[in-house]
């Protein structure tokens, strides 16, 4: 295949990936996701590639393995469901020195979740790789933020049309649910101060801050796809607490140095400040 004049190394890499994987029977769409699709990548960011398939007629796993070997002869891909019910499966590749993550996505399940999110139904699930949780709303966000590399039957485009506007019902549900959980996590940390359990207190603080990030993203109509870099991203949004990143770092520093009460008091102020934003945002 001829490549366009002026194509960047990233363009050439994505074309190489697409050429190899589009030949696999049962793959309906290949989608660039993550920071690369959102123009937030750093030079060392990996490439997140979604492989969308029809669970009624699953893709050929052996054919996918053969295709992946053309890109990285040491890579393996899981069977469907190999990484759990929500991440679903995939593989880690090194293609020309670049890290590439393949992630399976079931078209039918993604459509069902998008419909649920539009009515404010969001669920949270334990998932390795997501230290807070895997929110079902991630599926909607992946479609909204993703960029199709190959979509011959327009299966991904049909999903994307459903995500052009951030659903108000989703915004309200995420804010309500996660403000409550942030307060609950903070309360658990405060009621266990007498035990001076740094590990437990730090866990409560992390869970509280992760929930506050969910609230901040939702208030701004932004999709939170991963806990990685969520605090720094949240701190750059329009509706956000003052000096969020510095505040969070100070909280962890205080708890980590044994000043548990100081850290939780500062976290209490952060919860109050975030809650006040919901009034500014008319939630």
């Amino acid at each position: 295949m001829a490549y366009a004049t002026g194509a960047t190394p990233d363009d050439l890499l994505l074309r190489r990936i697409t050429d190899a994987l589009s030949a696999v029977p049962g793959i309906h769409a290949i989608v660039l996701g993550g920071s690369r699709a959102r123009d937030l990548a750093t030079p060392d960011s990996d490439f997140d590639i979604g492989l969308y398939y029809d669970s009624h007629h699953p893709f050929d796993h052996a054919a996918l393995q053969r295709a992946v070997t053309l890109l990285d002869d040491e890579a393996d891909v899981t069977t469907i469901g190999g990484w759990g019910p929500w991440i679903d499966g995939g593989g880690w590749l090194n293609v020309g020195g670049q890290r590439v993550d393949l992630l399976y996505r079931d078209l039918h399940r993604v459509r069902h979740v998008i419909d649920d999110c539009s009515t404010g139904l969001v669920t949270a699930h334990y998932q390795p790789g997501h230290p807070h949780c895997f929110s079902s709303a991630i599926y909607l966000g992946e479609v909204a933020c993703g960029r199709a590399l190959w979509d011959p039957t327009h299966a991904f485009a049909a999903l994307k049309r459903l995500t052009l506007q951030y659903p108000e019902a989703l915004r309200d549900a995420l804010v309500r649910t996660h403000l409550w959980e942030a307060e609950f996590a903070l309360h658990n940390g405060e009621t266990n101060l007498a035990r001076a359990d740094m590990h437990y207190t730090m866990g409560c603080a992390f869970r509280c801050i992760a929930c506050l990030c969910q609230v901040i993203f939702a208030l701004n109509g932004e999709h939170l796809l991963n806990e990685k870099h969520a605090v720094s991203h949240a701190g750059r949004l329009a509706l956000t607490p003052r000096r969020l990143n510095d505040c969070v770092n100070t909280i962890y520093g205080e708890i980590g140095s044994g000043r548990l009460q100081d850290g939780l008091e500062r976290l209490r102020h952060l919860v109050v400040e975030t809650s006040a934003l919901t009034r500014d945002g008319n939630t």
Side-chain angles (χ1 to χ4, degrees), residues 128-199:
H130 285 265
H132 177 216
C133 73
F134 188 95
S135 171
S136 60
I138 289 174
Y139 278 1
L140 183 149
E142 288 176 338
V143 173
C145 300
R147 176 162 66 87
L149 302 174
W150 183 78
D151 186 24
T153 64
H154 309 293
F156 184 78
L159 293 176
K160 198 169 184 71
R161 284 194 292 271
L162 302 174
T163 69
L164 296 179
Q165 292 190 352
Y166 193 100
E168 285 297 315
L170 174 62
R171 174 180 181 269
D172 293 345
L174 290 173
V175 169
R176 181 177 62 254
T177 299
H178 288 96
L179 266 182
W180 176 87
E181 187 183 337
E183 178 67 38
F184 187 64
L186 175 60
H187 174 74
N188 283 341
E190 291 172 334
T191 55
N192 282 272
L193 272 174
R195 300 180 182 179
D197 186 337
M198 184 186 299
H199 170 72

Side-chain angles (χ1 to χ4, degrees), residues 1 24 30 34 56-57 82 140 167 176 179 190 213 216 227 235 241 246 248 259 270:
M1 177 176 290
V24 177
I30 301 172
H56 298 162
H57 304 282
L140 183 149
R176 181 177 62 254
L179 266 182
E190 291 172 334
C213 286
I216 295 164
E227 297 93 336
D246 290 341
V248 168
R259 296 161 57 198
L270 185 58

Side-chain angles (χ1 to χ4, degrees), residues 80-269:
I80 293 172
W83 286 343
W86 287 91
I87 296 296
D88 203 4
W92 295 305
L93 286 64
N94 186 310
V95 183
Q98 292 282 1
R99 298 190 310 275
V100 177
D101 294 346
L102 302 182
L103 299 168
Y104 307 155
R105 291 293 183 261
D106 173 6
L107 288 164
H108 297 290
R109 189 173 196 184
V110 172
R111 171 58 192 266
H112 179 71
V113 167
I114 290 173
D115 290 343
D116 282 348
C117 286
S118 69
T119 67
L121 177 59
V122 187
T123 55
H125 307 270
Y126 172 78
Q127 172 65 53
H130 285 265
H132 177 216
C133 73
F134 188 95
S135 171
S136 60
I138 289 174
Y139 278 1
L140 183 149
E142 288 176 338
V143 173
C145 300
R147 176 162 66 87
L149 302 174
W150 183 78
D151 186 24
T153 64
H154 309 293
F156 184 78
L159 293 176
K160 198 169 184 71
R161 284 194 292 271
L162 302 174
T163 69
L164 296 179
Q165 292 190 352
Y166 193 100
E168 285 297 315
L170 174 62
R171 174 180 181 269
D172 293 345
L174 290 173
V175 169
R176 181 177 62 254
T177 299
H178 288 96
L179 266 182
W180 176 87
E181 187 183 337
E183 178 67 38
F184 187 64
L186 175 60
H187 174 74
N188 283 341
E190 291 172 334
T191 55
N192 282 272
L193 272 174
R195 300 180 182 179
D197 186 337
M198 184 186 299
H199 170 72
Y200 182 79
T201 303
M202 190 70 81
C204 291
F206 171 80
R207 195 167 186 90
C208 179
I209 292 166
C211 288
L212 295 181
C213 286
Q214 289 278 4
V215 173
I216 295 164
F217 272 68
L219 286 173
N220 287 274
E222 292 279 341
H223 299 283
L224 198 163
L225 305 183
N226 197 295
E227 297 93 336
K228 290 185 291 186
H229 308 299
V231 172
S232 59
H233 187 176
R236 294 192 294 269
L237 298 175
L239 282 173
T240 193
R242 298 181 300 276
R243 298 176 61 83
L244 175 64
N245 199 64
D246 290 341
C247 181
V248 168
N249 287 339
T250 301
I251 289 167
Y252 287 137
E254 289 174 336
I255 295 174
S257 64
R259 296 161 57 198
L260 309 188
Q261 185 166 353
D262 290 344
L264 291 182
E265 286 179 357
R266 192 178 302 274
L267 184 55
R268 168 65 63 186
H269 289 304

Side-chain angles (χ1 to χ4, degrees), residues 20-38:
L21 301 183
S22 60
V24 177
I27 298 294
H28 286 256
I30 301 172
V31 177
L32 177 67
S35 60
R36 296 281 180 179
R38 304 175 84 175

